[in-house]
């Protein structure tokens, strides 16, 4: 097997994490967030901007979980964005999720290799011409997409004539995800949020006026506690939260930096790329010229590096011949929470105890929208209802078995469907 790095390349260019310490002693605060990823930090920032006294506890280091290990794409396209079902403010937040991400990055001058040139969905056959036209009509109606692209326009944007049409969400883009979460921590600290790392919650007890949360070396009394650990929840998190999703292992691979010729020929538009196969191809090109792609881990892809690298080179090379000899040097994994209805939830677990969970693979844009709704809910649950439904998500039976079956069967099944359509 070829040697490869089992960690993302993000740390090669990301700013250093802000200095934090483990929690010890005792504190009393208004709001306590458990989990220092996108959800926890963005909620903390929102609360602090409005004068809240906030502490964030992170069990490991900033960026150690999914927020520092994802693919870095901001794809603000959501199956559950339905203005007829969601509260008006919630639908507006989701519709503007891409803008929320990049507007905040610009507001606080976050150094996270942010690129907002849009996210493209390219159709490869007649069936998906129809589905992409439908998606385009929806987001065009929301003011987030311009015209539907014909084959010539898609060729100009992508550098290939393998696709017959498509559309772009103009507020999509990509970031270095590790840099982004570290910069969110920096911003939170600058607003007065206290962040403690290497400080796992080991227990919690309801007390008059709030909750007592214990760490190995101290305890915090908070009026309101928000759980944002999601797929990285440990044994101290109430089971009623983790039963609302099942865990999936995702993988990502990063190529060696493209040559100048490759870079000019592949996605010259600078957009994120995604196609409409049942077994979809998606990728972005980062600031160093690396292709970042991946998916759900399978028996081959995402498990064996040589197999995965050869598969990705073959697949990309069939679309862009200039990538026929593309080499790869990083492959890593992370954990994704998948809700049965693929919809994130704000869940009341008890008085003053709330959870935000179920990102379902859209962490970068979803967290920007849902963290604002979560912050409003923590401040005033009644007002929070005008931003997002408060619900107990459908419970998942045999979570581990379901996740294993999805990972074993999904890829081969979708590849077979694509072959039948070709």
């Amino acid at each position: 097997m070829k040697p490869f790095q089992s960690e993302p390349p993000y740390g090669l260019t990301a700013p250093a994490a802000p200095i934090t310490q483990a929690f010890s002693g005792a504190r009393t605060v208004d709001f306590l967030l458990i989990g220092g990823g996108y959800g926890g930090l963005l909620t903390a920032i929102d609360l602090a901007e409005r004068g809240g006294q906030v502490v964030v506890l992170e069990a490991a280091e900033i960026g150690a979980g999914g927020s520092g290990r994802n693919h870095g794409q901001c794809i603000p396209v959501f199956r559950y964005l339905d203005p007829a079902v969601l509260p008006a403010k919630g639908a507006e937040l989701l519709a503007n999720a891409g803008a929320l991400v990049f507007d905040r990055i610009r507001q606080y001058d976050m150094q996270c290799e942010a690129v907002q040139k849009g996210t493209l969905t390219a159709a490869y056959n007649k069936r998906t011409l129809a589905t992409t036209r439908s998606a385009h009509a929806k987001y065009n109606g929301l003011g987030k997409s311009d015209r539907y692209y014909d084959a010539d326009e898609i060729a100009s944007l992508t550098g290939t004539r393998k696709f017959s049409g498509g559309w772009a969400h103009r507020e999509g883009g990509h970031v270095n995800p590790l840099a982004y979460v570290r910069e969110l921590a920096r911003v939170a600290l600058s607003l007065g949020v206290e962040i403690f790392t290497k400080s796992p919650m080991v227990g919690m007890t309801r007390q008059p006026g709030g909750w007592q949360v214990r760490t190995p070396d101290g305890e915090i009394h908070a009026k309101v506690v928000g759980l944002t650990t999601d797929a990285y929840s440990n044994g101290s998190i109430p089971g009623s939260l983790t039963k609302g999703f099942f865990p999936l292992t995702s993988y990502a691979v990063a190529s060696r930096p493209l040559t100048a010729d490759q870079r000019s020929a592949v996605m010259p538009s600078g957009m994120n790329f995604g196609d409409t196969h049942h077994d979809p191809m998606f990728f972005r090109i980062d600031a160093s010229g690396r292709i970042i792609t991946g998916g759900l881990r399978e028996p081959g892809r995402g498990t064996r590096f040589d197999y995965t690298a050869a598969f990705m080179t073959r697949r990309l090379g069939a679309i862009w011949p200039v990538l026929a000899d593309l080499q790869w040097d990083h492959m890593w994994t992370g954990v994704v929470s998948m809700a049965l209805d693929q919809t994130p939830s704000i869940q009341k677990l008890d008085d003053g105890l709330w959870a935000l969970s179920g990102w379902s693979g859209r962490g970068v844009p979803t967290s920007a929208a849902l963290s604002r709704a979560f912050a409003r809910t923590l401040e005033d649950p009644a007002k929070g209802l005008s931003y997002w439904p408060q619900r107990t998500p459908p419970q998942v039976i045999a979570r581990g078995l379901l996740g294993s079956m999805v990972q074993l069967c999904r890829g081969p099944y979708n590849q077979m469907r694509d072959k039948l359509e070709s």
Side-chain angles (χ1 to χ4, degrees):
M1 179 180 289
K2 298 177 183 177
F4 69 97
Q5 300 295 317
S6 59
E7 291 295 318
Y10 306 144
L12 299 174
T13 55
I19 296 173
T20 54
Q21 297 177 339
F23 179 76
S24 62
R27 286 278 199 292
T28 298
V29 297
D30 296 332
F31 303 101
L32 173 61
L33 281 304
I34 310 297
Y38 297 152
L41 291 171
L42 282 162
T43 302
I45 288 170
D46 195 285
L47 291 168
E49 287 174 334
R50 293 162 63 89
Q53 183 188 23
V54 189
V55 165
V56 175
L57 292 181
E58 165 56 42
E61 298 287 356
I62 297 298
S67 292
R69 304 181 67 80
N70 63 80
H71 299 99
Q73 295 200 71
C74 176
I75 305 175
V77 178
F78 309 98
R79 180 192 59 78
Y80 50 86
L81 173 49
D82 185 348
V85 173
L86 292 173
K89 290 180 181 178
E92 182 181 2
L93 283 175
L94 271 188
N96 292 318
L100 290 173
V101 171
F102 292 100
D103 286 352
R104 179 164 271 146
I105 287 171
R106 287 185 284 266
Q107 177 186 358
Y108 289 106
D109 192 27
M110 296 186 203
Q111 302 303 303
C112 58
E113 301 169 20
V115 175
Q116 190 183 23
K117 293 187 177 180
T119 187
L120 179 74
T121 303
Y124 79 100
N125 64 8
K126 290 182 179 179
R127 176 186 64 82
T128 56
L129 274 173
T131 58
T132 52
R133 285 188 182 279
S134 176
H136 166 259
K138 176 179 179 178
Y139 284 91
N140 179 260
L142 293 169
K144 304 302 178 181
S145 180
D146 299 319
R147 66 189 178 283
Y148 188 87
Y149 300 126
D150 63 21
D152 289 340
E153 289 172 307
I154 288 289
S156 176
L157 294 168
T158 63
T160 178
R161 288 195 166 275
K162 293 289 185 178
F163 301 97
S164 50
W167 72 285
H169 192 304
R170 63 167 176 264
E171 292 178 357
H174 55 85
V175 298
N176 176 324
L178 179 62
Y180 178 48
V181 71
R182 287 177 174 177
E183 287 287 83
L184 287 174
R186 174 186 65 79
V187 171
L189 289 167
S190 75
L191 294 171
V193 175
E194 294 184 276
I195 300 174
F196 298 97
T197 51
K198 297 183 179 178
S199 301
M201 180 177 77
V202 297
M204 64 189 312
T205 306
R206 187 174 176 183
Q207 293 189 334
W211 291 84
Q212 181 195 67
V213 172
R214 299 181 297 281
T215 72
D217 297 306
E219 59 185 44
I220 298 176
H221 186 275
K223 295 178 182 177
V224 181
V225 176
L227 304 176
T228 58
T229 48
D230 200 35
Y232 287 80
S233 299
N234 63 25
S236 66
I237 300 297
S240 54
L241 168 62
T242 56
K243 288 178 182 178
F245 61 82
F246 59 99
L248 294 172
T249 301
S250 67
Y251 77 93
V253 286
S255 73
R256 294 176 185 172
L258 302 184
T259 65
D261 287 344
Q262 290 172 327
R263 187 65 192 88
S264 64
V266 180
M267 292 304 294
S269 63
M271 293 177 175
N272 300 336
F273 174 82
D275 75 10
T276 53
H277 283 84
H278 295 292
D279 181 28
M281 164 63 75
F282 64 89
F283 67 88
R284 69 182 179 94
I285 301 175
D286 73 4
S288 300
R290 299 176 184 272
I291 287 182
I292 311 287
T293 187
L296 290 182
R297 196 174 190 182
E298 302 171 9
R301 278 188 282 175
T303 302
R304 306 198 315 270
F305 174 72
D306 277 5
Y307 178 94
T308 306
F311 177 90
M312 289 301 182
T313 295
R314 185 168 61 251
R315 193 175 200 187
L316 285 163
I319 302 172
W320 290 275
V322 71
L323 299 179
D325 61 351
L326 186 63
Q327 300 295 305
W328 306 81
D329 54 14
H330 292 257
M331 184 172 81
W332 67 98
T333 61
V335 184
V336 177
S337 69
M338 185 63 64
L340 287 176
D341 57 5
Q342 298 180 38
T343 302
S345 297
I346 292 178
Q347 181 179 356
K348 181 180 180 180
L349 302 177
D350 204 334
D351 288 341
L353 178 62
W354 296 84
L356 174 59
S357 66
W359 295 134
S360 300
R362 284 283 194 271
V364 174
T366 313
S367 60
L370 269 293
S371 63
R372 183 162 297 179
F374 195 48
R376 298 292 80 76
T377 301
L378 298 184
E379 289 176 333
D380 184 337
K383 290 184 178 178
L385 280 170
S386 67
Y387 285 82
W388 198 258
Q390 298 162 12
R391 66 165 194 160
T392 299
Q395 300 295 287
V396 183
I397 306 301
R399 298 169 62 241
L401 177 61
L402 177 59
S404 297
M405 292 302 296
V406 169
Q407 303 215 213
L408 181 66
C409 302
R410 178 180 178 274
Y413 174 65
N414 283 334
Q415 291 171 48
M416 179 185 68
R417 294 170 74 193
D418 285 331
K419 287 181 180 179
L420 291 174
E421 282 192 356
S422 62

